[in-house]
Amino acid sequence: MFIDIQNMCFNYTNSSAKAVEGFTFSVQKGEVISILGRSGSGKSTILRLIAGLEMPKCGSFTLAGKKIFDDYTFVQPEKRGIGMVFQDYALFPHMCVADNILFGLPKMSRHEKMKRLKEVLELVELEGFEKRYPHQLSGGQQQRVALARAIAPQPELILLDEPFSNLDTDLLVKIREDLRRILKKANATAIFVTHNQNDAHALADRIIKIKDGRIDQVGRPCDLLGIPTNDEVELELLPEESQKELVSV
Amino acid sequence: MTKDGFGMMRRISNVNGWTIGSVLIIILLFVPNLSIVTGIFTPPSENWAHIQEFMLLGYIKSSLTLVFFTAIFTIVIGLSLAWLIAQYDFPLRNFMKWALILPLSIPPFIGAYTYHGILNYTGIIQKTLRNQFDITPNPAFFDIMNVPGAIFIYTLFLFPYVYMITRIFLSNQAASLIESARTLGKSSVDIFFKVVLPISRVSIIGGVSLVILEVLNDYGVVKYFGIQTFSTAIFQTWFGLGDLDSSIKLAASLMGIVIFLLVIEWVLRGGKKYSFASTKVRPLPLVKLTGKKAVIATSYTLFIFTVAFLIPVLQLLDWFVLTFGKVPMEEVLTYTKNSIIVAGTAATLIILFSLVIGNFSRITKHKFGNVLPKLTILGYSIPGAVIAVAVVTTFIAIDRFLAPLYLSMGLDSALILSVSLVMLVSAYIIRFFAIGYNSIESGYAKIGTDFRDASRMLGVSGFRTFFKVDIPMMKGAIISGFILTFVDILKEIPLTLILRPFNYDTLATKAFQYASDEKIMEASQASLLIVGVSAIAIFVFHKLLREEPE
Ligand SMILES: Nc1ncnc2c1ncn2[C@@H]1O[C@H](COP(=O)(O)OP(=O)(O)OP(=O)(O)O)[C@@H](O)[C@H]1O
Ligand SMILES: [Mg+2]
């Protein structure tokens, strides 16, 4: 298996409740996985544990045959070869688009760097935006820069936390399609977090449903469709238009 | 090793460098103050028995008298001004809004000698009365070199603490409450006593406790006026009687009073912490004053501004012109340079240390990481006289410890560190650390940890991230932290006077020395430089950097 996580558990220092418990899961290379669950269920925590931004209390994790953590090892996040797109993108505000993307590139010649920059900008269709600063971009453009930045160093795995939360519905559909195209074209293995069933169904090869820090259900989108396990996600099964109406009421 | 043991090691290795750095810095900041505590337990000398029996009560009485009345008057003036500016619109209001902070740029000891110069026998007032009106008033009437005079001086130059904090609170936070009181048809007086006063309690106490700490810290005013307080007694016992042990005991008593007052403050605030955060909330719409009311409002604010800023500055300018050229330029340049070097070095180190500790506190997952920085803030509550005693005691101990080393290095003196600038800079760092740290901490809070996490996810180590991501984003906090600390050090008097190397003068010590030697006019140059730099810093900081929406 490309990614193998065994029995990962975790609780935040300032609370005794388990934020994640008994998380066991494996992923094949090139798969796009969605973690779906309601607010507070532990989705972001799982991503941060995989990224190395939090330290698990137990369990083990191997990535492409390399031991990332177990009881005796803990590879620092910068050494894991994992890319991440943050919920609010976290683009460095003091750097232009080009510098943001170049920031994570490993040591290579200037020529190679420029080549890679051009490649990823092409991939996200943002050629010509190199010199812009993050605050001069729309939400969707920022999201694509964040994606380009994460992809540029060619990580083994890409993590995305609520990639669509800041977008309005019209933009969302377009970006969602873009994202799937980009991920597949880059042949990237990706795990993304969402609380929206539609996003999960549109993007993922497989879906993990999380409830109270534990895995509730796993399956392909077509398998899971129509058997919602908790009432809360039912609302999100509705088509986008009626969802919008419900919210605006 | 057990499985748990390994887990533990993994955890510890995670924040390594920052943890060690922070702990070291905190030890440096904290340990000297412990020497005060241990000083309590050394056997008392004969002097101490004498001090305890005949003097101690007097020191406590005069210190508390100064504190009590200054607190009352600064609350009355600060709160009334804050209320006027926050609630009403009247001629000159927008100018007054920030101009009323400017008195803070005049260190009380400079205000003290300036007002003494204005009011004494050869001063402008008595002279005018004599020459123009042929009136020779009783000089005692104009004598301010006493306790009421000191209260007058403290009130004039410290009230902006109460004004500033309360005004920001009233115009930002309290808008909806005051508005709803208005719609209920309450009169202004009613609103003031029933709404404004109770809800601003926390910010008033926040401001007035700064005032009180400044009064207890003060050495310049009371020394110049010849009033016996803890500060002066500590130094007198130390230098006059040569009894460091007794002055440590005095310092410990003063620290006891400070701790007592801090506890009272905490109880009065009900455990709530007043936050300086200027969150952008809807400001209070202003009520326009007209006619007599407008005249009264403008006159009142103008009067305070004139007395607390304009008059002393004009007098200093006048003296400056009169004595121009009398003080050799070279001398001015030397002590200006000295000031910039010591204040600059200390402020730079404070900012660097704050960056380390702030980062540690931000990234550590340990509860310990939140408690640790709180310890360092304590220094700002400790009066300069106490810190001076603590630092000297510590450095003499270090010198004793290092004596064999000095000997082997062929140095012929036994005291190296305790007569060097290192000691003065260390004392500044202990005393003013909180000022810089506050600024840095809020900078860190503003940027959060997301950018840092993002950088590490791009394969950049935590250390490099700190320089490439965190520091550039913290520029604003670093600059304002540096300015605030630098200016406060520039004005500092007791630490500088006591701990400076022999014959080493700064702007503040020079101004103080001239004034003490009754060369008031010659003191004006150094004083104006201090006031000018502080005023510009205050202007930049409050007017440009922290301008709230109106
Ligand atoms: N820094 C923290 N300290 C303590 N508890 C936390 C912290 N972050 C999250 N938690 C708690 O851990 C649990 C899981 O949080 P997590 O952020 O993983 O949820 P989530 O599924 O991502 O929710 P959302 O959809 O709202 O982002 C929640 O109960 C939350 O309150
Ligand atoms: Mg989340």
Side-chain angles (χ1 to χ4, degrees), chain A residues 13 48 51 53-56 70-74 76-78 82 86 88 90-94 103-104 149, chain B residues 3 6-7 10-11 13-14 365 367 450-451 453-462 464 468-469 472-473:
Chain A
T13 29
R48 292 177 64 80
L53 298 171
E54 304 287 349
M55 199 174 284
D70 61 13
D71 290 332
Y72 307 105
T73 23
F74 181 82
Q76 292 293 329
E78 61 265 26
I82 296 177
F86 286 76
D88 50 5
L91 295 175
F92 305 126
H94 59 295
F103 186 82
R149 184 177 73 174
Chain B
K3 201 176 122 182
F6 275 108
R10 247 172 41 181
R11 246 156 276 273
S13 69
N14 198 28
K365 312 255 145 109
K367 281 181 196 136
D450 267 10
F451 296 104
D453 289 348
S455 166
R456 297 188 76 192
M457 292 315 296
L458 288 164
V460 177
S461 73
R464 256 187 51 150
K468 303 209 86 172
V469 175
M473 292 180 67

Side-chain angles (χ1 to χ4, degrees), chain B residues 389-423:
Chain B
V389 174
V391 168
V392 165
T393 316
T394 310
F395 270 83
I396 289 179
I398 294 176
D399 267 345
R400 272 200 199 122
F401 179 74
L402 292 180
L405 183 74
Y406 297 155
L407 215 61
S408 70
M409 279 161 49
L411 300 166
D412 55 356
S413 167
L415 298 177
I416 302 292
L417 284 175
S418 53
V419 293
S420 72
L421 272 181
V422 177
M423 189 164 69

